[in-house]
Amino acid sequence: MKLGLEGRHALVCASSRGLGRACALSLAGEGVSLTLVARGREALEATAQDIRRATGVEVHAVVADITTPEGREAALAVHPAPDILVTNAGGPKPGDFRDWDREAWIEALDANMLAPIALIRATVDGMIERRFGRIINVTSAAVRSPIDILGLSNGARSGLTGFVAGLARKTVAHNVTINNLLPGPFETDRLRETARQWAQDHGVPEDEVLARRRAANPAGRFGEPHEFGDACAYLCSAQAGFITGQNLLLDGGSYPGTF
Ligand code: NAP
């Protein structure tokens, strides 16, 4: 299926590695030029170069922290009117809610709720005027099945999800859709780092931790980032204009509910 995206431009946040990178790569494969953003220059430039080589599309790499106003300004300076916006950032640290002060909450809200909303605010009216826009927020399976130690993530991402649920019904008449992708366990640096930490803390070999986690998933494996990237590209497609305000769970069937 051709996705009808040739010549479009996407701003893909937090995209030097992992799920953001996978979204960028899948979009580039459909002829979408890109602005990529991450804080670390080396990985970002390597990813930009890999995508240019693999697809031939134009790729701008912006070294910036997308959770700050200055970072967002830098990201949008390159191409202020993207057709596609993929919001993404690192997830908050785990812990006990008794240890989180106001600062910790504000940091989580900035990264996982307010930064996406600020980016939507900066781009959505242009999309409405041009009568095409696709906004994808990378959230988490924890929005459906909260994880106790990830309270900062559960709270901040649910706030974003609630906000988007209202806005997505206002923009769709202008062919501007807003949807959320909810990753379960995908094999990225983040997943490997959390497994390594757990292995160290519990004195278990890292391979065993990973094997147990794979076996615990109904699919018997982790998700592969390209599966996530392709789902993102589909939701950005010309054909997906009737899909808005949805929360698409990609978790290998872990969520046990019928609905
Ligand atoms: P990852 O492999 O660690 O990659 C994170 C990417 O985001 C890197 O490119 C990183 O580059 C960039 N980044 C992080 N903070 C940033 C910031 N403030 N500004 C700009 N770029 C930033 O993580 P991932 O697995 O792809 O996860 C992506 C999101 O999905 C996270 O919010 C995570 O919590 C969520 N998630 C992931 C999983 C999973 O299984 N992988 C499951 C549920 C939820 P720099 O560090 O150089 O900035």
Side-chain angles (χ1 to χ4, degrees):
M1 186 196 289
K2 286 219 172 291
L3 300 186
L5 290 175
E6 204 133 322
R8 300 281 185 195
H9 185 84
L11 168 57
V12 186
C13 304
S15 47
S16 63
R17 294 180 280 119
L19 303 178
R21 182 187 197 277
C23 293
L25 194 53
S26 292
L27 288 167
E30 295 296 320
V32 175
S33 63
L34 299 169
T35 302
L36 305 183
V37 188
R39 294 162 304 177
R41 181 177 297 279
E42 203 178 322
L44 181 67
E45 286 185 349
T47 291
Q49 194 54 23
D50 287 350
I51 294 179
R52 285 185 202 110
R53 278 205 198 102
T55 64
V57 303
E58 193 179 4
V59 183
H60 303 277
V62 179
V63 177
D65 181 341
I66 203 66
T67 67
T68 65
E70 305 75 40
R72 290 189 288 276
E73 204 177 306
L76 285 163
V78 177
H79 200 303
D83 307 296
I84 295 167
L85 167 67
V86 180
T87 77
N88 186 26
K93 288 197 169 53
D96 184 318
F97 88 95
R98 293 168 188 83
D99 300 327
W100 299 330
D101 56 13
R102 182 177 163 77
E103 279 298 293
W105 276 104
I106 295 296
E107 200 180 315
L109 291 170
D110 268 341
N112 299 116
M113 178 182 174
L114 300 177
I117 292 172
L119 287 162
I120 293 170
R121 182 171 180 228
T123 56
V124 75
D125 288 336
M127 293 176 180
I128 288 172
E129 271 169 36
R130 297 189 302 278
R131 293 200 65 81
F132 180 89
R134 299 287 184 260
I135 298 174
I136 305 292
N137 302 299
V138 177
T139 66
S140 172
V143 172
R144 291 286 291 280
S145 311
I147 301 167
D148 58 355
I149 57 167
L150 292 179
L152 289 169
S153 170
N154 301 337
R157 296 187 199 277
S158 295
L160 174 65
T161 304
F163 165 73
V164 158
L167 183 63
R169 271 86 185 176
K170 298 293 284 181
T171 60
V172 66
H174 307 281
N175 193 23
V176 177
T177 65
I178 313 180
N179 292 289
N180 306 312
L181 284 177
L182 283 57
F186 276 81
E187 194 149 7
T188 64
D189 287 354
R190 178 178 165 90
L191 181 145
R192 283 185 288 269
E193 275 156 27
T194 51
R196 193 171 308 130
Q197 192 59 53
W198 201 92
Q200 270 173 21
D201 294 349
H202 294 83
V204 181
E206 190 184 323
D207 284 351
E208 200 177 310
V209 174
L210 289 169
R212 278 192 216 158
R213 286 197 63 187
R214 285 192 187 94
N217 188 284
R221 65 178 178 88
F222 294 132
E224 294 180 21
H226 70 87
E227 296 175 300
F228 191 89
D230 286 352
C232 175
Y234 177 72
L235 285 178
C236 293
S237 70
Q239 294 91 325
F242 206 53
I243 306 175
T244 200
Q246 299 305 299
N247 289 283
L248 180 62
L249 189 57
L250 291 92
D251 71 345
S254 279
Y255 179 76
T258 306
F259 302 106

